[in-house]
Amino acid sequence: MRIGSYEFRPGFVPTLAVVLVLPLLTALGFWQLDRAKETQAYLDSLHAGRQAAAINLNTTEPEYSVAQHRIATARGRYDSTHQFLLDNQVYKGRVGYHVLTPLRLSDVGAAVLVDRGWVAAPFDRKVLPDVGVPETERGVSGVIDKGPSVAVRLGRAYVGQGDWPQRIGYVDFSYIAQALPYRVTPYLIRLDPDAGDGFVRVPPKPAMGPEKNLGYAAQWFAMATAVVIIYFLVNLKRRVNDN
């Protein structure tokens, strides 16, 4: 292709490199744009949950899509016999568990899991921490959530040996519903920081703002643009006058 006194003559190797690299850089840019939308939606949900009226789980059981991140109150009795220890939860550099205790709701016939917080794991991993709690009737409050996250979900949720409390690798409400002898809601309450009968309350890590995702997207698109410009300049040759 001729452009004035220059001729564009791309070689095979640089063309192949561009064909391989350019789609990747572009895809990473659009991925960051999608992440920005997801992050903004999450932050909007957090804000909406804080502004919404509290939910009384003794009188209503909304879908998670309606209840997520809202304050919830519940009255009932903890089931100290059937508790779950969410494994591999790190706090200040130490491995431990999040203690998930069913609260059997008064006059309802169902239960909701309560994340009572983080507790350190004994150095002997065969020994489980003492997470017993009185089963007297009480009221609890906290934020409705899906539970603490884990890096990777591999295999089945249950990683224990058949005894209670059960050690689980991740929160799987389908498994939890099968393990308990009563109905349980498909979400949990993250116990208030100042509530009793809990352990270390670890708030969820704040989401990275969407502006950072947009910044990363701009970087990927800028790199893609630079690749195109470099490819064009490297393969643009001055025409030799044959006369």
Side-chain angles (χ1 to χ4, degrees), residues 190-206:
R190 199 161 19 89
L191 194 62
D192 281 342
D194 57 350
D197 293 317
F199 301 96
V200 178
R201 261 37 78 78
V202 183
K205 294 181 180 179

Side-chain angles (χ1 to χ4, degrees), residues 37-51 69:
K37 293 179 182 178
E38 294 173 1
T39 301
Q40 188 60 57
Y42 174 76
L43 295 176
D44 291 344
S45 177
L46 284 178
H47 178 73
R50 294 190 187 102
Q51 301 300 316
H69 304 140

Side-chain angles (χ1 to χ4, degrees), residues 72-154:
T73 62
R75 189 161 191 85
R77 299 175 185 270
Y78 280 131
D79 182 359
S80 184
T81 302
H82 302 95
Q83 300 193 73
F84 301 91
L85 299 177
L86 179 60
D87 206 351
N88 297 316
Q89 299 296 301
V90 179
Y91 176 70
K92 292 186 176 180
R94 184 166 180 184
V95 176
Y97 306 96
H98 267 257
V99 182
L100 310 180
T101 307
L103 180 76
R104 302 196 67 173
L105 300 169
S106 301
D107 304 321
V108 175
V112 60
L113 281 183
V114 178
D115 182 352
R116 295 166 55 209
W118 178 92
V119 62
F123 289 104
D124 184 354
R125 294 285 283 168
K126 295 180 181 179
V127 178
L128 297 179
D130 181 8
V131 294
V133 60
E135 296 189 356
T136 54
E137 187 173 26
R138 84 229 13 248
V140 304
S141 65
V143 177
I144 292 179
D145 203 344
K146 278 291 189 181
S149 62
V150 295
V152 180
R153 295 190 174 197
L154 296 175

Side-chain angles (χ1 to χ4, degrees), residues 144-180:
I144 292 179
D145 203 344
K146 278 291 189 181
S149 62
V150 295
V152 180
R153 295 190 174 197
L154 296 175
R156 60 195 183 107
Y158 179 42
V159 296
Q161 302 297 322
D163 297 326
W164 293 93
Q166 287 194 12
R167 196 162 46 125
I168 57 176
Y170 54 88
V171 179
D172 182 341
F173 286 98
S174 296
Y175 169 75
I176 289 171
Q178 295 174 2
L180 294 175

